[in-house]
């Protein structure tokens, strides 16, 4: 299967548009034993900051897995799919508890998913510093025609 690389800081218009549509995503973290933990999440993508954000409860397994990786962060991936279109963002995740960072993540979530998250005093944000992006978001990505994979 071919991989279609995308610059996570400078995606083409179709890739960015796909990440602005309302789609359920998955987050993959690694458990301490190295096995993958994959869960459905809402994700926002900020190419200018090279960040993806996931709001979460501080006691969730995904947060526990990221914290278990230590201060350097955890390698993670977020993905979304819609028919033949797909997109993956990869990077190093850290958990942020600062109120301004959580509020920014909530604002972006509300914008993308067209609903304000319910209040949660235990909310944190998983920030993913993006190192890689790939996908097929429209008819052509990275010079390939749709259907060539």
């Amino acid at each position: 299967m071919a991989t279609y690389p995308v610059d996570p800081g400078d995606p083409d218009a179709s890739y960015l548009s796909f990440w602005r549509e309302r789609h359920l995503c998955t987050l993959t973290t690694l458990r301490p034993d190295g096995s993958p933990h994959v869960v459905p999440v809402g994700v926002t993508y900020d190419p200018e900051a090279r960040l993806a954000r996931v709001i979460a409860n501080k006691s969730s397994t995904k947060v526990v897995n990221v914290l278990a990786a230590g201060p350097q962060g955890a390698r993670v991936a977020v993905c979304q799919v819609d028919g033949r279109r797909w997109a993956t963002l990869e990077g190093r995740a850290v958990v942020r508890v600062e109120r301004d960072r959580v509020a920014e993540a909530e604002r972006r979530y509300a914008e993308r998913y067209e609903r304000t998250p319910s209040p949660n005093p235990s909310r944190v944000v998983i920030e993913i510093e993006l190192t890689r992006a790939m996908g097929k978001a429209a008819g052509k990505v990275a010079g390939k025609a749709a259907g060539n994979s």
Side-chain angles (χ1 to χ4, degrees), residues 37 54-68 94-99 102 106 118-126:
H37 173 73
V54 175
I55 57 175
N57 191 298
K58 68 181 176 184
S59 64
S60 68
T61 300
K62 58 187 160 283
V63 168
V64 170
N65 288 344
V66 171
L67 291 172
V94 294
V95 176
R96 301 287 187 196
V97 298
E98 299 89 347
R99 187 64 214 138
V102 174
E106 290 171 333
S118 58
N120 179 351
S122 297
R123 181 169 289 131
V124 297
V125 59
I126 298 171

Side-chain angles (χ1 to χ4, degrees), residues 29-37 65:
T29 60
L30 297 178
R31 296 180 183 98
D33 69 2
S35 63
H37 173 73
N65 288 344

